[in-house]
Amino acid sequence: MKTRISHQKILMKIIRRSETLLLIVNILVKCTAELALLSFVWLLGVLLSGTLLYLSENALMVSIYNDTEANVHLTTLYNGDGTTYEEEREWFYSILESCWQAVVVIGTVGYGNNYPVYAFGKLITTIIIFCSSILTAIPMTIIIKRFSEAYELRAQERAFVKLLAGNLTRRASTW
């Protein structure tokens, strides 16, 4: 326990003395509005796209198979050599499961364990991918601009301190 506390103290000293880490924390604090906007847009996108995925896949399932109890259907899949095989495929059970699929799509992770079967679901997934790229890029450009401005300001401050230190040493040498 004692070593854990000493490690924590050392880590806190390192963090306190690290200019870059403090700069990043300060910028993130200044960008709270942009980060809140990014989180809100992301959450809204997850809820909206998850609901659309659920409705597109399940509404089509029920209308095609006329069975609200069926959760599994056969999907024809294609091998790389052109042959086909059938696989049992589960579809989205709930809107929350569809929202998880939306998180995977928006985050461009692409686990592949659950994916839309029908053309309308695939179209919605494609739209989600494009919209998430655009809506994530807008607040990120603002945050990146703040980072570059802060680094530029820090470079100017260092140059000023170096210039000031050089002037003080020249004056001290002339005395």
Side-chain angles (χ1 to χ4, degrees):
M1 185 73 172
K2 192 171 188 175
T3 58
R4 177 182 251 177
I5 293 173
S6 64
H7 290 317
Q8 289 174 351
K9 284 183 181 180
I10 292 170
L11 183 64
M12 292 305 290
K13 286 180 182 179
I14 291 171
I15 290 172
R16 211 175 322 138
R17 292 188 179 133
S18 173
E19 287 182 47
T20 307
L21 190 59
L22 289 174
L23 181 67
I24 291 170
V25 169
N26 287 335
I27 293 169
L28 289 176
V29 168
K30 289 178 184 177
C31 294
T32 53
E34 289 84 4
L35 291 172
L37 175 67
L38 181 64
S39 300
F40 177 73
V41 166
W42 189 82
L43 181 67
L44 188 65
V46 165
L47 292 175
L48 180 67
S49 57
T51 304
L52 286 174
L53 277 173
Y54 176 78
L55 292 176
S56 69
E57 289 291 303
N58 290 351
L60 286 172
M61 270 298 205
V62 171
S63 67
I64 289 173
Y65 292 105
N66 293 325
D67 186 7
T68 56
E69 297 297 320
N71 288 331
V72 177
H73 72 284
L74 290 176
T75 303
T76 303
L77 300 172
Y78 297 94
N79 286 327
D81 58 2
T83 60
T84 63
Y85 66 97
E86 288 189 347
E87 179 182 274
E88 282 191 355
R89 166 96 168 53
E90 295 180 1
W91 40 287
F92 302 115
Y93 289 112
S94 66
I95 291 179
L96 287 177
E97 186 180 348
S98 302
C99 286
W100 172 247
Q101 176 64 26
V103 167
V104 170
V105 169
I106 290 173
T108 63
V109 177
Y111 290 128
N113 57 350
N114 208 355
Y115 51 88
V117 176
Y118 299 107
F120 191 64
K122 291 177 182 179
L123 176 69
I124 289 175
T125 303
T126 305
I127 292 170
I128 293 168
I129 291 170
F130 287 122
C131 290
S132 67
S133 300
I134 293 168
L135 293 177
T136 302
I138 292 170
M140 289 305 291
T141 55
I142 298 170
I143 294 169
I144 290 170
K145 182 181 176 206
R146 295 252 177 112
F147 271 105
S148 64
E149 287 172 354
Y151 274 114
E152 185 178 317
L153 182 64
R154 188 176 85 170
Q156 289 174 355
E157 288 173 354
R158 284 184 174 177
F160 179 72
V161 167
K162 191 182 268 187
L163 178 69
L164 190 62
N167 285 341
L168 289 177
T169 55
R170 270 190 253 134
R171 285 185 182 172
S173 64
T174 57
W175 290 342

